[in-house]
Amino acid sequence: MSEVNEESESIGMPAPTAWPMVSAAGVALAAVGIATNPFISVAGVMVLMVAIGGWLRELTPGRGEIEETWVPVDQRAREVVASSRRVAQPRAGLPGNRSHFPERVHTYASGVVGGLLGGGVMAGTAMLYGVVSGRGIWYPINMLAGIVLTRFDDVSKLELERFSVTAFIIASLLHLTASALVGLFFEIVLPTLPKSPVFWGGVVAPLMWTGVVYASIGILNPLMSEHIVWSWFIASQFAYGLTMGIYVVNAKKVPASHIEGASTADGRDHESQS
Amino acid sequence: MAIAEPTIESPAPPLVTRLHGWVTTVDHKRIGLMYLMMSLFFLVLGGLEVIWIRMQLWSANNTLVEADTFNQLFTMHGTTMIFFVVMPMIAGFANYLIPLMIGARDVAFPRLNAFGFWMSLFGGMILYLSYFTGEALYGAGSAPDVGWFAYAPLTSPAYSRGSSVDYWILATLVSGVGTLTFAINLIATIVSMRAPGMAIGKLPLFVWMMLVDAWLIVFAFPPFTAAQVMLLMDRHLGAHFFDTQAGGSAILWQHLFWFFGHPEVYIMALPAFGIISEVVPVFSRKVIFGHTTLAMSTTAIGFISMGVWAHHMFTVGLNDGLDAFFSAASFLIAVPTGIKIFNWTATLYGGRLRLHTPMLFALGFLSMFLIGGLTGVMLAAVPVDWQVSDSYFLVAHFHYVLFGGSLFALMAGLYYWYPKATGRMLDETWGKWHFWLQLIGFNLTFAPMHISGLMGMPRRVYTYQAGQGWEIWNQISTVGGFVMGAGFAVMFVNLLWSLQRGRIAGDDPWDAWTLEWATSSPPASYNFETIPIVRSRRPLWDKKHPEDPDWIHE
Ligand code: HEM
Ligand SMILES: [Cu+2]
């Protein structure tokens, strides 16, 4: 990197100049004048014009550049030398310098599909609750739309039971996106979790999620919390988590390098090359 | 390894000559350093203001400052921190590092670069001039007191007499032009001045993220500038863009402001992501996990962040459909962000971690930013936002993002690249003191604000009644503020002390892989004697490990 260029003693670099600073000072003065006294603005504009003139002169041939001499050899960077340290060899079960962790992952598609499937089962559970409880099949859908539709903020139960096109569209969009994204997220994190993935997806995640919602919703949205029946809320979370978890776990795994599309696992290809 | 002190120290030139050298410099490295010094200077001012705020809120019915003064303090604090601390710090890092990292001798427009810096600095000076020039157009005024977002109609001549609002407009306008020149210069540099072999796909992640960042600046700042000019016209020429009493629209200001203001949050966050993406792999001794997904998710964040501004406006009463759209778009941004967090964590996993100060700050960033991101997702739900908007919950959230995110990462960068810029290492012991004081102080300050916010404490109140259960949380916050102040004091001592006494760094103290470590510390004005030739994303690794270079794998 730091081979000495023996041929020339120097290199052309832009010359120092005060005109950029003076130009900026001109602009600033012109601005300050607006808040204080117009004469300051006038002075600022004049300073700016002079500075632009000076700046332009710097751009003419033969000016604006200086020859910078190379720094003495002992102050230059040293050549980057080969390290005596050997590259870490891949150890069993642990990622080395260049390797991916996790080594094998599920495809993104499996996460999305699993999420959507889970979302379907979840919606079914929730609507079943609507029917069983006698509140009507649209009740859970309207509740979901209430996350963004402020109209449902303080409505009677009655309106929550009625079909609404807007609420239906919004709830479906929300539900599908959220289901797919949670599935995707789960698919990405899954290989980093220890063992028993169905346990994480089907038990831990729904419990945690329900806990968070339960703890915060009373403060954040008291009205909403009155309408939630927790047993069914949890049931539909489990329905989602289990379906999605089981699907993703059974999906085919591929080497991480396929997804990344670039480098390969540490050592492996290298070894086969040498 | 002991390296002898350099012996060729020629006698230092007189102070005036040296100052003249700084004022006239067009060297991107010196300009970068000036940006950083400016940022640290304003950090002190913004910090002093907030210490004042926190002391006022120590107890109920406190009378340390008056309501008007309080308004000025939080306005100046917010404006200072965003425009004159975080932004110049970013410009400083980018200016110093990017030509070095892409193997260039300079930036594309060196003189314009200097101009951009001076505009930023003079902008900051205009802001603080407001404290000194009270008497003006309408005979009143002093520091601005309308919040860093300057909502209409507060800024109309009817509500803000005097010229304090003008100072706010002009300060942000002038520095904004500086920021824009910086961004344009940066794009030109990255696009046209890369070393041979450095394809776009081989850019170091910091450079890639700064490229997206510069584009965001180019899209977000001009509308802001336009809005400011409109406001100036309202105030001085009788235009009525935002004057509700004459048919103008206050909502229009909010749209224009947040069309800039939200991307601005990512403009401050992306460079932080870039720094983390450089620091984490080097201190984990591993290749970054998912170079491509990190780059792509940055681009996705850039695009999505342009389309979520109205989540700052849920409470102004837009229609339901619009709220729903902006809510959904805001949720969406969690996905690319989540991918990044995952990539960094996966890079840490199984690595041989070296817990030096830069790495500590990087880990601090990861955890604090995660908390800020989670409360951000909560706020993207409209009813939640309705509940806690303009409460201390919001203040807690954005400090976890901006301070826990940006500033922690910027500190990681400071400790990581200081040796390159000065030739000396920062002291590790003091660095660790700084880190722990900042981490503990930060959480003491801002975590309780979640609680006081949920308990109903509105932001921007200068005092409050006793007996609402808010005192204890405010007191913890105030103590935390002082702890953090102590942390920054340690940092300043370290920066100054190490400049003279720090351990000599050598070219490549961290055994890193990107090109800036291939020059001397500090680098010569022309950066490299010969322009390096690049074959992979880690050119120095290739040289250090000819037996297993990266380019066979990429
Ligand atoms: C990078 C660092 C920081 C940034 C970017 C930042 C940004 C901001 C912004 C934008 C505001 C809003 C001002 C307004 O409402 O108009 C604010 C307010 C505030 N900040 Fe900071 N800040 C930072 C550091 C700090 C520190 C170190 C503390 C405490 C020690 C602090 C405590 C506060 C407080 C108490 C408020 C007032 C909240 C209110 O009344 O609305 N900030 N900050
Ligand atoms: Cu936003």
Side-chain angles (χ1 to χ4, degrees):
Chain A
M1 209 118 309
S2 52
E3 293 100 286
V4 184
N5 187 342
E6 303 290 357
E7 264 136 59
S8 72
E9 293 289 292
S10 63
I11 176 170
M13 294 295 288
T17 163
W19 293 122
M21 193 268 268
V22 180
S23 309
V27 177
L29 281 179
V32 168
I34 297 177
T36 51
N37 188 321
F39 286 113
I40 300 187
S41 293
V42 174
V45 171
M46 277 157 57
V47 170
L48 178 62
M49 309 244 275
V50 174
I52 291 178
W55 190 329
L56 285 177
R57 251 198 333 275
E58 299 273 322
L59 302 179
T60 52
R63 290 170 146 270
E65 246 203 22
I66 49 165
E67 285 296 317
E68 194 109 25
T69 42
W70 300 110
V71 293
V73 177
D74 58 348
Q75 286 179 28
R76 294 181 197 170
R78 288 151 201 240
E79 185 76 38
V80 180
V81 291
S83 168
S84 54
R85 230 179 298 161
R86 296 285 306 167
V87 180
Q89 291 304 308
R91 290 159 287 167
L94 274 180
N97 153 63
R98 199 180 281 112
S99 78
H100 286 293
F101 180 79
E103 246 173 67
R104 297 179 66 77
V105 294
H106 302 279
T107 58
Y108 290 145
S110 71
V112 173
V113 174
L116 289 175
L117 280 180
V121 177
M122 182 182 192
T125 318
M127 286 160 89
L128 183 68
Y129 154 73
V131 175
V132 172
S133 68
R135 288 180 168 164
I137 196 163
W138 306 115
Y139 182 76
I141 294 177
N142 290 335
M143 290 275 289
L144 179 57
I147 292 184
V148 289
L149 278 190
T150 44
R151 197 152 46 82
F152 287 109
D153 209 31
D154 51 2
V155 288
S156 61
K157 281 214 176 83
L158 214 80
E159 193 171 335
L160 279 173
E161 288 162 17
R162 220 179 283 142
F163 177 72
S164 144
V165 187
T166 339
F168 181 75
I169 295 176
I170 293 210
S172 311
L173 276 179
L174 267 184
H175 186 63
L176 288 179
T177 333
S179 303
L181 290 182
V182 173
L184 185 63
F185 187 76
F186 182 72
E187 171 272 316
I188 292 177
V189 202
L190 183 60
T192 62
L193 299 174
K195 300 293 172 240
S196 181
V198 180
F199 169 73
W200 289 101
V203 183
V204 178
L207 275 183
M208 262 172 48
W209 181 239
T210 311
V212 170
V213 175
Y214 184 79
S216 52
I217 204 157
I219 309 167
L220 298 177
N221 199 340
L223 244 141
M224 179 85 112
S225 73
E226 280 169 28
H227 293 291
I228 292 182
V229 177
W230 289 100
S231 51
W232 280 87
F233 185 87
I234 297 176
S236 49
Q237 299 285 333
F238 277 116
Y240 175 85
L242 279 174
T243 316
M244 184 266 287
I246 290 174
Y247 180 85
V248 174
V249 167
N250 289 320
K252 203 161 54 67
K253 277 191 176 185
V254 296
S257 49
H258 280 222
I259 296 216
E260 174 61 20
S263 49
T264 52
D266 200 27
R268 254 160 257 272
D269 286 10
H270 180 49
E271 271 163 18
S272 60
Q273 261 167 3
S274 53
Chain B
M1 184 171 55
I3 301 174
E5 299 258 342
T7 45
I8 22 326
E9 294 274 325
S10 46
L15 185 63
V16 183
T17 318
R18 269 184 293 163
L19 279 183
H20 186 262
W22 283 97
V23 167
T24 58
T25 189
V26 288
D27 179 350
H28 70 92
K29 296 181 290 299
R30 285 188 145 200
I31 292 174
L33 292 177
M34 288 198 291
Y35 267 120
L36 291 173
M37 287 188 277
M38 164 186 172
S39 165
L40 293 175
F41 172 73
F42 281 103
L43 181 69
V44 175
L45 295 184
L48 288 178
E49 280 148 7
V50 92
I51 286 289
W52 228 242
I53 295 181
R54 286 300 346 156
M55 289 196 322
Q56 164 66 16
L57 294 175
W58 170 263
S59 60
N61 299 314
N62 199 359
T63 53
L64 179 68
V65 299
E66 286 169 21
D68 287 347
T69 316
F70 191 87
N71 290 349
Q72 295 173 356
L73 284 174
F74 74 67
T75 303
M76 293 295 276
H77 163 72
T79 311
T80 303
M81 286 299 187
I82 289 186
F83 293 101
F84 303 111
V85 176
V86 178
M87 291 303 284
M89 197 174 287
I90 289 165
F93 277 110
N95 250 308
Y96 196 95
L97 293 170
I98 283 181
L100 291 172
M101 284 182 147
I102 63 174
R105 294 213 185 285
D106 207 336
V107 291
F109 309 114
R111 298 180 194 89
L112 193 66
N113 200 21
F115 176 75
F117 164 73
W118 292 107
M119 289 291 275
S120 299
L121 180 63
F122 290 144
M125 284 160 66
I126 291 176
L127 185 68
Y128 277 83
L129 199 61
S130 65
Y131 270 122
F132 300 100
T133 56
E135 303 289 316
L137 270 193
Y138 303 93
S142 56
D145 55 358
V146 287
W148 83 278
F149 30 72
Y151 276 174
L154 256 185
T155 49
S156 69
Y159 294 102
S160 281
R161 307 195 69 76
S163 42
S164 64
V165 172
D166 294 321
Y167 282 101
W168 181 88
I169 302 172
L170 296 166
T172 49
L173 189 85
V174 169
S175 73
V177 174
T179 304
L180 200 58
T181 48
F182 154 74
I184 291 169
N185 191 6
L186 201 65
I187 295 173
T189 307
I190 299 175
V191 168
S192 65
M193 298 180 67
R194 280 165 288 132
M198 185 172 275
I200 282 282
K202 295 202 194 315
L203 283 179
L205 280 168
F206 176 74
V207 180
W208 176 267
M209 295 191 188
M210 277 310 306
L211 181 61
V212 177
D213 205 59
W215 277 112
L216 273 181
I217 291 177
V218 168
F219 283 115
F221 269 72
F224 184 43
T225 310
Q228 290 166 318
V229 173
M230 288 156 81
L231 185 56
L232 273 181
M233 290 165 84
D234 266 15
R235 288 178 57 80
H236 293 275
L237 304 175
H240 300 296
F241 292 109
F242 311 119
D243 182 353
T244 43
Q245 288 167 325
S249 162
I251 310 273
L252 176 63
W253 171 264
Q254 290 208 22
H255 276 300
L256 286 173
F257 181 84
W258 288 115
F259 188 78
F260 146 81
H262 184 81
E264 170 71 1
V265 175
Y266 287 90
I267 290 170
M268 294 189 278
L270 290 185
F273 296 169
I275 292 174
I276 295 305
S277 306
E278 299 297 330
V279 169
V280 163
V282 167
F283 289 89
S284 305
R285 310 302 309 156
K286 276 180 71 190
V287 176
I288 187 114
F289 178 80
H291 188 282
T292 320
T293 40
L294 272 166
M296 287 305 122
S297 59
T298 309
T299 319
I301 288 178
F303 277 109
I304 304 175
S305 73
M306 299 294 298
V308 300
W309 75 90
H311 67 204
H312 296 270
M313 301 167 64
F314 287 151
T315 50
V316 302
L318 306 175
N319 89 14
D320 271 356
L322 213 60
D323 276 356
F325 172 82
F326 281 104
S327 173
S330 309
F331 285 130
L332 208 60
I333 216 163
V335 177
T337 315
I339 291 178
K340 281 189 157 38
I341 301 232
F342 170 72
N343 280 335
W344 293 320
T345 319
T347 307
L348 290 169
Y349 184 89
R352 281 192 287 121
L353 304 193
R354 296 184 293 169
L355 294 179
H356 295 293
T357 315
M359 183 64 156
L360 290 181
F361 275 103
L363 296 177
F365 160 89
L366 277 180
S367 36
M368 297 303 104
F369 183 75
L370 189 64
I371 298 176
L374 289 178
T375 51
V377 173
M378 292 168 75
L379 288 169
V382 181
V384 178
D385 185 74
W386 279 24
Q387 193 75 18
V388 297
S389 182
D390 275 336
S391 77
Y392 261 84
F393 187 87
L394 197 87
V395 179
H397 154 70
F398 76 68
H399 281 92
Y400 268 88
V401 174
L402 287 182
F403 191 116
S406 289
L407 207 65
F408 267 74
L410 290 163
M411 291 296 134
L414 202 61
Y415 281 87
Y416 183 51
W417 282 299
Y418 183 91
K420 178 48 61 182
T422 64
R424 307 240 179 199
M425 307 293 285
L426 279 170
D427 185 75
E428 273 290 308
T429 316
W430 277 345
K432 291 197 167 125
W433 271 98
H434 170 201
F435 170 73
W436 288 109
L437 286 172
Q438 186 172 319
L439 186 79
I440 294 169
F442 174 81
N443 282 295
L444 279 181
T445 310
F446 296 109
M449 291 187 190
H450 290 116
I451 303 171
S452 51
L454 286 177
M455 289 169 81
M457 180 166 164
R459 70 197 280 209
R460 289 179 237 126
V461 288
Y462 89 105
T463 190
Y464 50 90
Q465 301 296 309
Q468 307 185 80
W470 298 349
E471 284 98 333
I472 178 69
W473 306 114
N474 275 296
Q475 284 168 0
I476 300 175
S477 279
T478 303
V479 171
F482 277 99
V483 174
M484 225 180 332
F488 279 112
V490 172
M491 175 192 80
F492 277 107
V493 171
N494 197 357
L495 287 175
L496 292 175
W497 187 88
S498 300
L499 202 56
Q500 302 293 329
R501 302 286 171 79
R503 198 156 50 78
I504 300 282
D507 299 343
D508 178 22
W510 308 114
D511 191 11
W513 305 309
T514 33
L515 280 181
E516 75 271 27
W517 304 106
T519 65
S520 54
S521 311
S525 64
Y526 45 80
N527 292 351
F528 301 95
E529 274 82 32
T530 31
I531 295 296
I533 294 171
V534 176
R535 294 185 74 178
S536 79
R537 289 170 192 152
R538 299 192 301 167
L540 260 57
W541 169 276
D542 296 347
K543 290 220 165 193
K544 290 174 187 171
H545 296 282
E547 79 283 8
D548 185 26
D550 266 4
W551 43 266
I552 7 182
H553 300 277
E554 276 178 11

